[in-house]
Amino acid sequence: MNVRDIISKKQHGETLGAGEIDAIIQGFSTGRISDRDMTKFLKAVCDNGMDSTETAYMTQSMVMSGEPIDLSEVNPPKVDKHSTGGVGDKTTLVVGPLVAAAGLNMAKMSGRSLGHTGGTINKLEAIPGVTTRLSKKQLIEQVNTMGLAIASQSEDLVPADHKIYALRDKTGTVACTSLIAASVMSKKLAVGADTIVLDVKFGSGAFMKEFNDAKELAELCVKIGTAAERKVVALISNMDQPLGRAVGNVLEVKEAIETLKGRGPRDVTELSLELASELMIQTGTAINKEDARGSLFAEIDSGQALDKFGELIQSQGGDPEVINDLSLLPSAPIVDGFTAATAGYISAMDVEGIGRISKKVFGLMFLKKIGDEVQVGDVIADVHANTIDQAEAAIRELKDMVVIAKRAIVEPLICSVIR
Ligand code: URA
C-alpha cells in the first residue's frame, strides 16, 4: 500500500495493521518518507488516536529501526526505570544506587534534557570528569561489576524515536498518548531489562497535564511491556511543582547526594523509595513494600547506597570524593533571592515555565513549596546564576510562575500505581 493511502486511512480514523505502521516507521526512519508526510501521519494519530494494538505495532517497529542492546551477558535480575519527564526529577541518581546496592542490575540508557524537562545525562555530566559515553562492552562490564551504569542513549539505539521525537517537538505533536507510549516503550524494550518501573507524570510541569491522560498513558505502557513479556509497573506522580528543592544540573546532583545520605527533601526521598521498592518487589528481592523499604532505609543508614553512587562516578571517570565533599562540584558566583510580594500560601506553580527559566541560569533552589506560608519579602527561591543580569532576568520571570493565595491545597505526590 502507498504511504499516502496509509496516512489517509489514519486521517479518516481507520485502524492500521502491523505492515502499514511498519511501512511508515521504517520509511521515515530511513529517509524515504518526508518530514511533511510524517507530520501529517503524526497529526492524524494525535487527532484520531491509535488503539493499544496499533501502538504496540508502532513500538515494535521503532525497536527494530535500530540496534537493541543485548543484555544476555548481564546477570539477572535486570531492571530499568523511566520517567516521562519532569522538572527537578533527579530520582534516577537515587534509585540507581539504591537498587544496585540491593543486588539488582541496572543498565540505564538515559536521555538528555528535552524541552522544559531536565535530563539525567546532563545531570551526571555536571560532575567533573564523568562520561556517559559507554560502549556496549563497557556498559555490560560495569553493570556486572557494580550493578549499575548510566549511559547516554546513542542515536542508533532507537533511531526512529530520535527522528520522530525531533519532528514532534517542531510540530506540536509531543503531548499525544500513543506517541509518548511508543517513544517510551521502544527505548525500554530496546534495552533487555526484564523488569521496568515507569514514573508517569502529570501536572503543570509534565507533558500530560491531566491525571486521567497520565493514567491512560501508564496503562498503555504497561500493556505494551507486558505483551513483550516484561514486568512493568507504572507510578503516576504529580508534577504540579518541581520535585525536591533543586532545579538545575549541579544543584540536583547535590540534592541526590543528600537524599542518598538520608537528608534529601521528603518528596524526592518518597518517590525514589517507591520506585526502588517496586523494582525490588517485582524481582522478588523483597516480599512486600515494608520489606523493601526496610532494606532501602538500611542501605541509606549504612552509607552503602551513597558508596554505590561514588563507585558509579569513579567508574565513569569522575572524582568519587564529591559524595563526601560537595564543594568539589561547580558553583555559581551569584545567588539572589526571588521573594514573596504578598503574604499567604504558595498555592500553584507554572512548572513548565520554571523548567524553562532554570535552563537560562545555573539553577534554582526552592525554599518554599506548595502549601508553605510566606510573608512579604520571604525568599521563595534562590536563583544561582553566572551574572547579576542573568539572576535579575530570572527573578523577573519567576514572578509570573508562582501563585500566592489565601489558602493552598497540597495534592498527594504518588496518585496511583498501575500493574
Ligand atoms: N519521554 C519520552 O521518552 N518520549 C516522549 O515522547 C515523551 C517523554
Side-chain angles (χ1 to χ4, degrees):
M1 188 181 250
N2 171 304
V3 163
R4 297 242 160 96
D5 294 337
I6 302 173
I7 295 169
S8 166
K9 265 180 94 173
K10 194 34 82 190
Q11 284 170 328
H12 289 90
E14 290 180 44
T15 304
L16 301 178
E20 291 170 321
I21 291 177
D22 197 48
I24 298 278
I25 301 303
Q26 302 310 330
F28 182 62
S29 188
T30 53
R32 279 179 284 115
I33 294 182
S34 67
D35 282 8
R36 200 157 169 267
D37 283 341
M38 191 62 182
T39 302
K40 285 186 195 159
F41 175 75
L42 295 172
K43 284 195 191 291
V45 170
C46 290
D47 292 344
N48 300 319
M50 285 201 297
D51 65 24
S52 59
T53 308
E54 291 174 288
T55 311
Y57 290 150
M58 180 164 174
T59 308
Q60 286 300 347
S61 179
M62 286 167 72
V63 172
M64 295 321 291
S65 72
E67 291 173 27
I69 295 189
D70 177 8
L71 289 188
S72 56
E73 284 171 41
V74 169
N75 305 322
K78 303 171 221 188
V79 299
D80 203 351
K81 160 196 182 283
H82 191 92
S83 152
T84 56
V87 174
D89 184 358
K90 65 281 294 170
T91 52
T92 295
L93 303 183
V94 182
V95 174
L98 278 174
V99 298
L104 310 187
N105 286 319
M106 181 182 269
K108 174 88 177 85
M109 306 303 294
S110 282
R112 292 188 184 275
S113 164
L114 273 181
H116 68 281
T117 65
T120 297
I121 292 304
N122 307 79
K123 294 169 205 189
L124 209 49
E125 286 179 350
I127 304 170
V130 167
T131 179
T132 59
R133 281 194 198 177
L134 305 184
S135 67
K136 285 183 191 171
K137 190 163 170 276
Q138 283 172 316
L139 179 88
I140 288 168
E141 273 174 14
Q142 188 175 313
V143 176
N144 276 336
T145 310
M146 56 160 290
L148 176 64
I150 304 180
S152 43
Q153 78 216 351
S154 63
E155 283 179 30
D156 60 12
L157 180 66
V158 186
D161 179 61
H162 209 76
K163 273 194 88 178
I164 294 171
Y165 198 96
L167 190 60
R168 285 168 61 208
D169 215 13
K170 282 193 283 188
T171 55
T173 50
V174 171
C176 164
T177 312
S178 298
L179 297 181
I180 298 179
S183 165
V184 167
M185 292 312 291
S186 61
K187 285 175 292 208
K188 294 299 100 181
L189 300 185
V191 181
D194 36 44
T195 307
I196 301 160
V197 68
L198 303 175
D199 178 11
V200 178
K201 298 193 182 287
F202 75 97
S204 72
F207 291 119
M208 292 292 164
K209 303 296 176 205
E210 303 299 330
F211 170 79
N212 283 339
D213 294 334
K215 183 163 176 276
E216 196 189 326
L217 173 61
E219 284 167 353
L220 191 52
C221 289
V222 170
K223 203 165 177 182
I224 293 169
T226 310
E229 296 180 356
R230 314 291 174 94
K231 283 187 193 162
V232 187
V233 180
L235 267 55
I236 303 180
S237 72
N238 186 297
M239 191 24 79
D240 270 335
Q241 58 181 329
L243 187 69
R245 300 196 177 278
V247 184
N249 298 329
V250 173
L251 299 181
E252 291 192 44
V253 168
K254 289 184 183 175
E255 192 164 86
I257 291 173
E258 289 297 324
T259 307
L260 287 166
K261 289 180 181 170
R263 303 197 297 239
R266 195 157 357 124
D267 55 354
V268 179
T269 304
E270 189 54 29
L271 188 54
S272 303
L273 289 174
E274 284 299 296
L275 291 163
S277 296
E278 285 298 343
L279 289 175
M280 290 179 71
I281 295 165
Q282 293 300 321
T283 52
T285 317
I287 47 171
N288 56 29
K289 189 86 71 66
E290 215 184 355
D291 184 27
R293 288 177 79 101
S295 305
L296 294 168
F297 279 125
E299 282 174 20
I300 292 173
D301 289 346
S302 66
Q304 273 177 287
L306 181 67
D307 288 346
K308 196 51 90 175
F309 192 44
E311 264 183 75
L312 174 94
I313 293 171
Q314 184 160 37
S315 230
Q316 296 193 199
D319 177 2
E321 196 43 31
V322 298
I323 61 170
N324 301 314
D325 182 359
L326 294 181
S327 72
L328 295 172
L329 289 165
S331 59
I334 308 290
V335 179
D336 202 356
F338 156 55
T339 55
T342 53
Y345 293 87
I346 308 284
S347 66
M349 294 190 185
D350 176 345
V351 185
E352 195 168 325
I354 289 170
R356 292 224 159 80
I357 296 170
S358 74
K359 301 210 165 168
K360 298 184 208 164
V361 293
F362 185 86
L364 306 171
M365 186 61 93
F366 282 83
L367 276 60
K368 303 284 181 191
K369 302 273 306 254
I370 290 183
D372 286 346
E373 189 175 6
V374 287
Q375 303 300 334
V376 175
D378 281 355
V379 177
I380 297 173
D382 274 330
V383 177
H384 294 237
N386 292 318
T387 63
I388 293 174
D389 286 353
Q390 215 180 51
E392 285 177 352
I395 289 171
R396 271 194 305 278
E397 284 192 73
L398 278 167
K399 289 191 174 124
D400 295 330
M401 304 295 160
V402 176
V403 179
I404 299 172
K406 287 209 168 63
R407 62 185 75 82
I409 298 167
V410 183
E411 301 289 349
L413 175 63
I414 299 167
C415 298
S416 193
V417 182
I418 309 291
R419 294 190 166 84

